[in-house]
Amino acid sequence: MEFKTIFGPGTGGPSDYYRIPSMITTKSGVVVACADARFYTGADNPNRIDKVVRRSHDSGETWEDYMTVVEEFGTEKMLSSAAIDPILTYNEETNRIFMHYCHTPAGVGILNCNSTVGEDAEGNKIISKGIKKYILKNGKLYTKGGKETEYTVAENGEVSDGKNTYGSIFTGGKFTEAHTATLMMCYSDDDGLTWSKPVSLNSQVKKKFMSFIGPGPGAGITVKHGKYKGRIIVPIYYGVRKLPLGLSCCVIYSDDNGASWTLGETPNNTRKIYGFKANHHLIIEHNMLTESQVIEQSDGTLKYFMRNHDPKRCVATAYSKNGGASWENFSHDENLPQPICQSSVIKIENADKPYVVFLNAANKKERKCGTVRLSEDDGETFPYSRVLKEDFFVYSSMALLPDGNIGALFEPDLECRNILFAKFSLDWIKGND
């Protein structure tokens, strides 16, 4: 098995640290790969984190130069903004690629996000200067009563009154955006060559009680069959408080090609714990559901695969008959071990069988033993498996390549520097080299 470094030091990118792969293939045969470019360390936010993309026109044999799709700001770790955890979703009907990610300002990470939307009902940022609040609209600051002020805000967040500057709202100036997480989205209509300006989805999907909000990560799906055909589904997860941390996953979905988004219900509001219906406000650490991926089964049912903190150390699953609006039949799959780590899963469309491919660190104690599994019954059982990488293995993302193979992007160790690419066939998973 040949591994190629797609993101890493010395490959032409803007930083020396890369994490969180995401990958899709378009109908024109372009493979689009995305990752976090992390600047001051390989750690999560707080940190300067950009979004970078590379493309391949030959099923991953060669890759174009890096493109920085989302650029954040800051010159040191604790005084930088972040665009963390990408998830790409492809809509074949419109040839549109969506990228969702989490934005945080300087000093903010998953453990210290405030519980707030951070925006008004129209999606305008709320900006603070001490205890005073302003509304940012069209590059200008307004009082909460709607009166225009002398302050303007540039693209890089720099605030000015025409005579003086006051630093950036993103990097710890006198004016600051809300100290919370924002779910962001941009898109490409030309196979990932150019991208739209990112917009916030907080006013549409984030609730006031939520602290953190962020994507999958990995890849989303577009429903291909049944009543919800055309629905775009993006897995996310969110926090309901800081300490003790309480996290639950769900999906957001769009029925109008991304113009508007709806928040689905978390399985933590439908599962039972000790015989009682759970509640995402009350869950403890063992019941947290975080990074997740979803597939569509042949009859249009969605199957959910979830990272979780249960002592069983195996992947949690659930099903949706209503396009991700809610979930049922929650359980833990003892045949899918996990060490509290992200997994990736894809459905192979237009095949002779309902193949599903699953990839994760198949070890209950450590992020090791990257194992590929193959299902021939829509992801219900995985009778075939093969080790892709025996030792350290962390996050991953898969896509069906134009040449018919499966492509996998994955983090090969705990150094947070390289993201590797491999490709293999269904027969290889079955043991037929």
Side-chain angles (χ1 to χ4, degrees):
M1 180 65 63
E2 180 185 4
F3 297 155
K4 297 180 179 180
T5 300
I6 307 304
F7 300 100
T11 56
S15 72
D16 289 333
Y17 302 92
Y18 296 90
R19 280 212 66 198
I20 320 298
S22 180
M23 181 170 58
I24 57 93
T25 299
T26 71
K27 63 183 178 182
S28 57
V30 179
V31 182
V32 181
C34 180
D36 284 358
R38 301 185 173 189
F39 281 73
Y40 303 114
T41 73
D44 293 344
N45 46 346
N47 196 2
R48 161 78 182 277
I49 304 176
D50 290 359
K51 285 282 153 289
V52 290
V53 163
R54 298 188 74 184
R55 307 191 310 157
S56 174
H57 295 268
D58 53 12
S59 294
E61 295 298 319
T62 61
W63 294 82
E64 293 178 347
D65 292 341
Y66 284 73
M67 293 181 287
T68 298
V69 174
V70 179
E71 184 175 7
E72 293 288 349
F73 308 97
T75 56
E76 57 183 280
K77 185 180 186 297
M78 295 303 294
L79 294 177
S80 294
S81 56
I84 189 173
D85 291 358
I87 186 167
L88 298 180
T89 308
Y90 181 59
N91 185 352
E92 185 175 346
E93 286 295 316
T94 60
N95 196 42
R96 174 167 286 184
I97 307 167
F98 295 92
M99 180 195 297
H100 291 77
Y101 63 92
C102 169
H103 163 80
T104 53
V108 177
I110 192 171
L111 297 176
N112 67 343
C113 289
N114 290 337
S115 296
T116 179
V117 176
E119 301 172 357
D120 66 11
E122 298 176 354
N124 300 307
K125 282 183 180 292
I126 298 173
I127 305 298
S128 299
K129 183 185 179 186
I131 63 172
K132 197 164 186 179
K133 305 292 185 183
Y134 298 90
I135 301 296
L136 174 58
K137 190 173 183 180
N138 299 323
K140 296 183 178 181
L141 292 184
Y142 293 79
T143 66
K144 295 195 76 174
K147 182 180 179 181
E148 183 177 339
T149 72
E150 69 272 26
Y151 300 113
T152 61
V153 182
E155 289 283 331
N156 65 359
E158 291 288 337
V159 180
S160 172
D161 60 7
K163 297 178 181 179
N164 304 296
T165 58
Y166 300 91
S168 171
I169 63 173
F170 304 130
T171 58
K174 290 187 177 181
F175 292 80
T176 60
E177 63 176 333
H179 286 209
T180 194
T182 301
L183 186 64
M184 303 291 293
M185 181 192 79
C186 58
Y187 61 84
S188 172
D189 290 332
D190 54 9
D191 295 333
L193 183 61
T194 62
W195 294 80
S196 68
K197 182 179 178 181
V199 297
S200 167
L201 301 184
N202 270 19
S203 61
Q204 297 185 50
V205 301
K206 192 178 185 186
K207 306 301 181 183
K208 291 181 180 179
F209 63 79
M210 293 180 181
S211 52
F212 171 80
I213 187 169
I221 67 168
T222 299
V223 178
K224 298 183 179 298
H225 310 285
K227 179 179 179 180
Y228 302 100
K229 182 179 179 180
R231 173 171 287 185
I232 303 162
I233 296 180
V234 177
I236 70 163
Y237 67 114
Y238 59 87
V240 298
R241 58 182 180 266
K242 296 182 194 177
L243 293 174
L245 188 63
L247 298 170
S248 293
C249 67
C250 65
V251 302
I252 61 170
Y253 55 87
S254 174
D255 293 318
D256 54 12
N257 194 36
S260 62
W261 295 84
T262 300
L263 182 76
E265 192 71 66
T266 174
N268 264 339
N269 281 352
T270 56
R271 65 187 283 202
K272 287 190 175 182
I273 300 174
Y274 304 121
F276 297 95
K277 185 177 178 181
N279 184 306
H280 62 169
H281 289 288
L282 303 176
I283 58 164
I284 60 176
E285 181 181 0
H286 288 173
N287 308 130
M288 292 198 302
L289 305 172
T290 58
E291 294 155 336
S292 58
Q293 295 280 261
V294 64
I295 61 164
E296 178 190 3
Q297 297 183 317
S298 300
D299 65 353
T301 298
L302 302 183
K303 185 170 184 179
Y304 213 5
F305 296 80
M306 295 163 279
R307 170 180 169 173
N308 63 92
H309 290 241
D310 192 280
K312 294 184 178 73
R313 295 294 185 268
C314 55
V315 175
T317 62
Y319 298 84
S320 177
K321 301 287 188 181
N322 55 11
S326 63
W327 302 90
E328 58 188 26
N329 297 328
F330 178 93
S331 66
H332 291 89
D333 190 335
E334 298 282 358
N335 297 309
L336 298 177
Q338 61 98 23
I340 311 181
C341 189
Q342 181 257 14
S343 305
S344 56
V345 58
I346 58 170
K347 172 74 178 290
I348 307 300
E349 295 290 340
N350 303 316
D352 59 324
K353 294 181 180 180
Y355 294 115
V356 173
V357 184
F358 181 90
L359 173 62
N360 80 331
N363 184 304
K364 291 189 175 185
K365 295 182 178 180
E366 297 182 275
R367 292 180 169 187
K368 290 184 175 181
C369 194
T371 302
V372 186
R373 302 178 190 274
L374 177 64
S375 169
E376 296 179 328
D377 59 3
D378 260 336
E380 291 302 292
T381 62
F382 291 88
Y384 304 102
S385 67
R386 193 161 184 182
V387 175
L388 179 65
K389 185 175 182 295
E390 289 186 356
D391 51 3
F392 289 108
F393 189 93
V394 196
Y395 285 38
S396 63
S397 183
M398 293 186 294
L400 179 64
L401 302 175
D403 65 7
N405 287 308
I406 307 299
L409 280 177
F410 63 93
E411 300 172 350
D413 51 43
L414 306 178
E415 301 300 317
C416 304
R417 288 187 177 271
N418 296 293
I419 295 176
L420 306 186
F421 173 83
K423 65 179 180 178
F424 44 83
S425 66
L426 299 184
D427 279 341
W428 179 86
I429 305 173
K430 294 179 179 181
N432 301 320
D433 291 335

